[in-house]
Amino acid sequence: ETGVTQTPRHLVMGMTNKKSLKCEQHLGHNAMYWYKQSAKKPLELMFVYSLEERVENNSVPSRFSPECPNSSHLFLHLHTLQPEDSALYLCASSDRTGGLEHFGPGTRLLVL
Amino acid sequence: EDKVVQSPLSLVVHEGDTVTLNCSYEVTNFRSLLWYKQEKKAPTFLFMLTSSGIEKKSGRLSSILDKKELFSILNITATQTGDSAVYLCAVEAFINTNAGKSTFGDGTTLTVKP
């Protein structure tokens, strides 16, 4: 399988649940990203991993916890979320030449 | 703080028209400027621009960057209803040699009427 994949594609969770979003890239890229897209707001950068090391954490609440176990996989662990966290969560990857050319299909999250 | 401003925010045209979408930016440590098309799903990459004055072209779409004046335009000629989408501009700054940090604009919503 090529490109950037994300699972699950849709997720409904209660505020007390714990869930994880998964992202996988088979492009040989060495940087991976989490973005959040809420209704009527621009895409917001959450986290950047470069060579499996977190290099950017954009003032994201601690109820979001990223994990990058290797260069192909990225997780976003969710716990005690709020309804305002409902959004489309997008994973992306890039190589050394730059440019976010590859977004995953996203996980549409609804927090009840 | 990096900033991207797109204009207009929305645009309605008829099939066959030509449109120009604008993107101005402020960024520290510029790496690239990117254009995307977004329908009801994840953004689809269109262009990455790193050098001033070099037009990138793909079919009816083209884009150019002016690094002195800090703006870019996206042109779409002979528009079709399938071009209806939100067009996103993003500016990427270097974090290190392996990674960048992209700041997105609000997008331009283009509606092409038959």
Side-chain angles (χ1 to χ4, degrees):
Chain A
E1 191 175 353
T2 58
V4 180
T5 58
Q6 288 185 243
T7 55
R9 296 291 303 276
H10 296 89
L11 179 61
V12 180
M13 59 188 286
M15 289 191 283
T16 58
N17 292 156
K18 286 186 181 181
K19 296 284 183 185
S20 295
L21 309 185
K22 180 182 176 183
C23 175
E24 198 168 341
Q25 58 98 2
H26 303 280
L27 300 164
H29 289 171
N30 49 25
M32 295 184 76
Y33 308 78
W34 281 115
Y35 277 84
K36 175 184 178 183
Q37 189 172 35
S38 305
K40 312 239 185 249
K41 290 175 76 173
L43 272 148
E44 302 169 65
L45 178 66
M46 299 177 75
F47 301 104
V48 181
Y49 275 82
S50 171
L51 298 174
E52 300 146 47
E53 179 185 343
R54 192 193 309 182
V55 295
E56 186 80 14
N57 177 353
N58 225 28
S59 303
V60 179
S62 60
R63 56 187 184 268
F64 295 91
S65 174
E67 179 191 1
C68 187
N70 56 60
S71 59
S72 299
H73 294 85
L74 185 65
F75 294 90
L76 188 63
H77 303 300
L78 317 171
H79 64 98
T80 59
L81 293 192
Q82 305 298 311
E84 60 264 29
D85 296 322
S86 300
L88 179 67
Y89 289 84
L90 291 159
C91 176
S93 68
S94 67
D95 64 15
R96 289 178 62 95
T97 60
L100 275 179
E101 297 187 28
H102 300 275
F103 275 95
T107 295
R108 194 160 291 281
L109 173 66
L110 178 61
V111 181
L112 300 175
Chain B
E1 187 179 328
D2 300 341
K3 189 176 172 184
V4 176
V5 177
Q6 291 187 244
S7 65
L9 290 180
S10 65
L11 190 55
V12 180
V13 300
H14 288 94
E15 273 192 314
D17 288 350
T18 293
V19 298
T20 298
L21 310 183
N22 304 293
C23 176
S24 64
Y25 65 91
E26 297 172 21
V27 66
T28 301
N29 217 4
F30 177 89
R31 191 185 198 198
S32 67
L33 185 140
L34 303 118
W35 284 98
Y36 299 87
K37 178 182 182 182
Q38 187 173 28
E39 297 167 274
K40 292 181 181 175
K41 49 187 179 178
T44 303
F45 171 80
L46 295 175
F47 297 110
M48 179 170 76
L49 303 156
T50 56
S51 301
S52 269
I54 299 173
E55 186 183 49
K56 293 236 175 163
K57 204 168 166 64
S58 176
R60 296 176 293 104
L61 278 67
S62 63
S63 183
I64 197 160
L65 173 66
D66 185 328
K67 289 170 77 174
K68 184 180 174 189
E69 300 298 329
L70 306 181
F71 79 90
S72 174
I73 60 171
L74 175 70
N75 278 321
I76 309 175
T77 59
T79 51
Q80 302 171 357
T81 55
D83 295 326
S84 296
V86 177
Y87 289 84
L88 298 171
C89 174
V91 65
E92 185 188 27
F94 277 101
I95 296 176
N96 56 37
T97 54
N98 290 304
K101 169 185 172 180
S102 293
T103 301
F104 283 78
D106 289 332
T108 294
T109 301
L110 174 65
T111 303
V112 181
K113 292 190 169 181

